[in-house]
Amino acid sequence: MVQHHEYCDGSGYPQRLQLAQIDPLARILALVNTYDNHCNRNNPALSLTPHEGLALMFTQHKAKFDPGPLNHFIKCLGVYPPGTLVILSNDCYGLVVSVNASRPLRPQVLVCGIESGSENAIILDLEHENGIKYQQIHQGQSTERGCGSRFKSK
């Protein structure tokens, strides 16, 4: 697919095509390729989290993508895309493993607490867990709150 680096605003390459000139499948490929490039950079230390990559695309690069596929992509990945590391209201780390399409603020997360250790991690469906919700998105490299090396960047 030659057009997978073409963007709908004409800023892509090799031909600087506009929306109507780009094959619909190439528009989707450009979207997915851009997201993958944000989250999997050559230098892993510079890679964005899934949440950061999606937020960057939506807030700063929205004009580059076909609005239909972009909105569908965001809906499928949710507010917290799989792979997003969150700190829960019970002070445990959680790694988003599945999106809840009907309740995007209540994903399924792989969790381990301070007392349980990483070998006893469980998957919690936040839709059914009263009182537990995400507290914040974890931005740092250290994960001392129970899960230890399970979620450390490599």
Side-chain angles (χ1 to χ4, degrees), residues 60-115:
Q60 297 181 27
H61 302 272
K62 194 176 188 176
K64 292 180 179 280
F65 306 106
D66 184 338
L70 177 61
N71 290 334
H72 189 72
F73 190 66
I74 290 168
K75 184 177 179 180
C76 287
L77 289 181
V79 178
Y80 306 106
T84 301
L85 185 60
V86 295
I87 301 173
L88 301 175
S89 57
N90 64 357
D91 236 12
C92 291
Y93 279 94
L95 183 71
V96 176
V97 294
S98 178
V99 175
N100 182 338
S102 62
R103 298 192 65 199
L105 297 176
R106 308 296 277 171
Q108 289 186 351
V109 293
L110 179 66
V111 179
C112 53
I114 295 169
E115 65 286 342

